[in-house]
Amino acid sequence: MMGRSSGWAPRNAGGFRADNLGQDALSMIRNLGFAVFVIGVLIFTIIAATYQPEDPLFHPSAKMTNFLTSRSNATFKADDTVVRTGEDFIASNQIAFSSFINLTDVEIAVPILETGNDLECQGKTDDPIDCRDPDVFHLLMKATIEKFPDAHFYKFGKPVLGSNESTCHMAWRFRPKEGKTAAFYKDYRSFVISRSENCTLSVVGIGEYHSGGNARKRKRNHKVGPDKTGKSDEGFEKVPSETVASQGSIALPVVGEAVNDSLPIVESESSFRRGKYLFYSGGGDRCKSMNHYLWSFMCALGEAQYLNRTLVMDLSICLNKMYTSSGQDEEGKDFRFYFDFEHLKDSASVLDQTQFWEDWNKWHQKDGLTLHLVEDFKVTPMKLAGLRDALIVRKFGSVEPDNYWYRVCEGETESVVQRPWHLVWKSRRLMDIVSAIASRLNWDYDSVHIVRGEKARNEKMWPNLRRDTSPEAVLSSLKDKIEEGRNLYVATDEGDVSFFDPLKDKYSTHFLDEYRDLWDEKSEWWSETAAKLNRGNPVEFDGYMRASVDTEVFLRGKKQVETFNDLTTDCKDGVNTC
């Protein structure tokens, strides 16, 4: 018995019986994996509860990065100073513009003006010029095309009488031949016309940009909703090619047109009663960077469109201190200072909150209009789609970042609610300043962007930037990139532009402040912005406006030289971030 039992072991002795070994090992691995999972969940929960992101744009999606990252590496005060808007994403080469007007299209009629009858002309050399004469029209078109060889002309307006009997004013739409943006520009100038003794007419002078004010078309009162008639502007020869493109109907900005960004109104009580509205209240988005503001605003606009509601919006913006001369956040800035409200109200359903609340207080009790309050951003737009209440109010609390508007569009909502980027364009009043600067340079200039400021002083993060952006280094870098003698627009954050005087030995340099007359108290921008949008009160040409104009002028240069791509080997965001 003892011999037989000497090879026997208890059934569970040590748990390592040969036939159970695999099962026990698998059980141990399973228990260990579960323990690791529990620990991982615990760690993640702790991090999620305590983590405060540096960037207020919490976990930005690839789409946000694509739309809000400047294609020019422009860095004037901060990396997010200049916001890219809807018109930046209409690629110029994707639009099939109609054929432009060539010199040969108009010069066949001009010889009529170049011959005359001396007998018929006796005593008539000082007679008034008939600006409505088709021959005069063709003469002015020919003179314009010859004067501006770097532009493609798409439409000419019929000439009108100018400031005296020997001048005519004429408008036209054009694009620079090497234009990189899908936009049209409008100019209207004064032409001085002379008649010789044999009746020959000739253009002896063409005024500066926008000198022909009589040819400027004034817009009528705003009609609610976009104009779908497809009618062209009065007096223009061609159907506007910006209205119809090869890829469908694509609206393009026309810089230089009169702007009608008056506030839309609800015409009647019955119209108000039939409407459905969405309003975002409170939140921590105020006084943040313009990137943050726009990212959140576009979420609200996207939800309103998804719900088929009118967005009730606050046109008053708090401008972040990074853009102000005072170094403090500044309230009371108008949305229309920075963005094209006319395009927005013509393309989407929006109302100013002041007007809306006046109408709401007047009619909601009488008409039995109801309000639905939402205080949790996790309540998705999809859950609100079936509501029949007249007004949905999203109320945001005081705890950041959970009180940011854009949180509504995160998670499952991101794939359902699309931000309608095509609805928000840059202010056409600011873009008109850009067009004026480019026109003064005849749209024939190159540009360089030179970042210095705080980055050049931080040699730990940007060890070479100060040296690489010195005038001598810039001249050396430009030598093989830009021909000597060219007009060179310098976009820079360097406060003292005399620092770049050595560049004048090789180039004709130009800086933003050279064009101050375009936004001073006597300018068209001043009268349009202060008088129409700010009740006659002065409007500061603030840091955001400066950065926008500086960047856009830079982007219209024929050749563009970047700081971090071309002038220095340093990384834009500091050491080891390239």
Side-chain angles (χ1 to χ4, degrees), residues 158-163 167-172 186-191 207-219 256-258 524 528:
K158 297 297 178 62
V160 297
L161 182 64
S163 57
T167 63
C168 297
H169 290 180
M170 184 177 71
W172 60 85
K186 182 178 181 180
D187 199 354
Y188 35 90
R189 301 208 184 199
S190 175
F191 294 77
E208 297 296 326
Y209 179 77
H210 282 195
S211 57
N214 293 350
R216 185 183 189 187
K217 182 177 182 289
R218 299 290 175 180
K219 292 197 172 182
E257 291 279 19
E524 183 176 334
E528 290 273 324

Side-chain angles (χ1 to χ4, degrees), residues 24-89:
D24 292 338
L26 184 63
S27 178
M28 289 179 63
I29 293 172
R30 190 161 46 238
N31 292 337
L32 180 62
F34 180 74
V36 171
F37 171 76
V38 171
I39 294 173
V41 170
L42 186 61
I43 293 174
F44 177 80
T45 304
I46 294 172
I47 293 175
T50 60
Y51 175 62
Q52 291 292 329
E54 270 185 33
D55 186 352
L57 297 179
F58 187 53
H59 295 313
S61 67
K63 184 181 294 185
M64 185 200 72
T65 303
N66 291 337
F67 276 85
L68 296 186
T69 301
S70 171
R71 60 186 159 186
S72 70
N73 272 341
T75 309
F76 291 85
K77 288 188 177 179
D79 287 345
D80 58 358
T81 298
V82 181
V83 179
R84 295 183 70 190
T85 50
E87 74 273 32
D88 293 324
F89 308 104

